[in-house]
Amino acid sequence: MKAFDYTAPATLPEAVGLLVSQPSARLLAGGTDLIVQLRSGRKEADLVIDIKKIPELNALDFDPIAGLTIGAAVPCYRLTAHLVIQSHFPALAEVASWIGGTQIQGRASIGGNLCNAAPSADSIPLLIALGATALIAGPGGRRTVAIEDFCTAPGRNQLASGELLVSIQIPTPAPHSGAAYLRFIPRNEMDIAVVGAGVAVTIADGVFTAARIALSAVAPTPLFVPAAGAALVGQPVAPAALEAAAQIAQSAAAPISDMRGTAAYRKHLCAVMTRRALEIAVTRAQEN
Amino acid sequence: MAPKVQVQTTINNEPVQFLCEPRQSLLECLRDVVGLTGTKEGCGDGNCGSCTIKLGDRIVTSCLVLGVEAEGETITTIEGLAHGNTLHPLQKAFLEHAALQCGICTPGFLIAADALLQKHPHPTEDQTRFWLSNNLCRCTGYDKIIRAVQAAAVEIHGAPQ
């Protein structure tokens, strides 16, 4: 690995200052993507800024009004083990237990999964479905970006020079809401999604009142399909409504063929995974 | 070359200081600087789990941790598993069940399995396979490893209720 300097600032302003003065610096949270990329030469850095010593980036807080705040450096295992997340955001606890294996989850963060901006990232479709936003800090202050607008191309995101992700904010779900993320992989664990579907629904008196659906690994970025969710709103909870939404999700997908699956296979999986994820989300909504 | 950094850690209950370059992985530091060569390098990108160590209260692949990130941390490596000349029950069970052939993956499996048994005293086969999915073995086909872990669970915690 090419030589670099290392620093671990204790405050956010220090980290922003370092990023501004050294635009070639790279941010280190769990390192499970960055260290691999530096070692292979796919990325270079003169300076690696470890953000794990900044308290705000390690926060994992739930407030019924403000919602859930996930600091950008919080490793996956803390989400899986968090009792409030298990009860209020079970789909998020699940997805945090599916990214990599036990060892990876000990380091890797959801913030890193988002910033790495892989089309197949497991957490991003669920974050989109949950209506999450990214809180960004930079030399010009702070700004908020909807997760569906955060990724701009494979491996690229909205962060401008000098900016970093502070946290991911997820609103508290309305009563009778449920969410789910499902991915298709040929193994049972430790694999990259062929297709993933993240969904969130709210139900009142047997009718969908809100729904959001997003897909992974079927486009250059995680794909929000607003029309699929909109098709559910006002419909009674019934298999026909789920199938119609799944078909819209499938039509929106523009996958490529690669070693993990052909484009046609991925298109087929979009409908299957969306429908199955919706079935889980509906069950959860009815139990809430 | 970036200047070397001094890192202060506790490894296997002993205070250990080492000097490393920021680009060196914790795996390199353990093996080449500290001289603890029980931890093995397999893939070098976090997939195979051969370099698994305990860092704080979590298991991690030490190839994906920088040595400098270990400042102030408590580390357990395979050298810290046995008590003197007495093997850890997992080590005994791996021998008794022939849960290894070439042995490269074994230190990583043992450290990962030890963490599993601390979290789940009597893991099911599914729990065991899911927990150990970040550890690859190209020799045994895994069945003997799973059986050894389950036998060690009984040895350590008694028969499940």
Side-chain angles (χ1 to χ4, degrees), chain A residues 103-128:
Chain A
Q103 288 90 321
I104 298 300
Q105 290 152 21
R107 301 295 283 175
S109 64
I110 296 291
N113 195 233
L114 176 61
C115 291
N116 193 52
S120 58
D122 285 315
S123 71
I124 304 179
L126 180 64
L127 293 174
I128 294 172

Side-chain angles (χ1 to χ4, degrees), chain A residues 1-6 28-32 35-36 39 48 50 52 77 97-98 101-104 106-107 187-190, chain B residues 1-3 21-23 25 44-47 52 55 57-61 63-66 68-69 112 130-131 133-135:
Chain A
M1 205 175 343
K2 196 174 151 284
F4 51 76
D5 288 315
Y6 167 90
L28 171 71
T32 57
I35 294 176
V36 175
R39 188 171 287 140
V48 167
D50 185 347
K52 292 192 289 297
Y77 81 89
S97 76
W98 294 345
T102 315
Q103 288 90 321
I104 298 300
R107 301 295 283 175
R187 310 175 66 200
N188 291 324
E189 66 283 298
M190 272 291 281
Chain B
M1 192 172 86
E21 284 181 69
R23 67 180 178 92
S25 68
D45 63 14
N47 273 291
T52 299
L55 181 69
D57 64 348
R58 306 301 309 173
I59 53 168
V60 301
T61 44
C63 71
L64 296 188
V65 179
L66 299 176
V68 287
E69 289 183 90
F130 197 76
W131 184 272
S133 66
N134 209 159
N135 292 82

Side-chain angles (χ1 to χ4, degrees), chain B residues 95-112:
Chain B
L95 288 173
E96 282 160 13
H97 287 77
L100 66 153
Q101 287 180 32
C102 84
I104 287 283
C105 70
T106 310
F109 266 105
L110 288 168
I111 293 290

Side-chain angles (χ1 to χ4, degrees), chain A residues 10-33:
Chain A
T11 68
L12 201 47
E14 273 179 82
V16 171
L18 286 162
L19 274 177
V20 169
S21 62
Q22 290 218 46
S24 65
R26 297 278 178 187
L27 296 169
L28 171 71
T32 57
D33 285 316

Side-chain angles (χ1 to χ4, degrees), chain A residues 178-198:
Chain A
Y181 172 74
L182 280 185
R183 66 179 180 187
F184 182 84
I185 53 173
R187 310 175 66 200
N188 291 324
E189 66 283 298
M190 272 291 281
D191 209 345
I192 293 172
V194 180
V195 167

Side-chain angles (χ1 to χ4, degrees), chain A residues 114-115 131-137 142-150 158-159 164-170:
Chain A
L114 176 61
C115 291
T133 53
L135 175 62
I136 296 167
R142 296 187 170 209
R143 64 186 179 110
T144 296
V145 171
I147 299 296
E148 56 266 33
D149 299 326
F150 188 84
Q158 273 272 359
L159 294 173
L164 76 163
L165 178 71
V166 177
S167 60
I168 296 161
Q169 314 278 337
I170 306 179

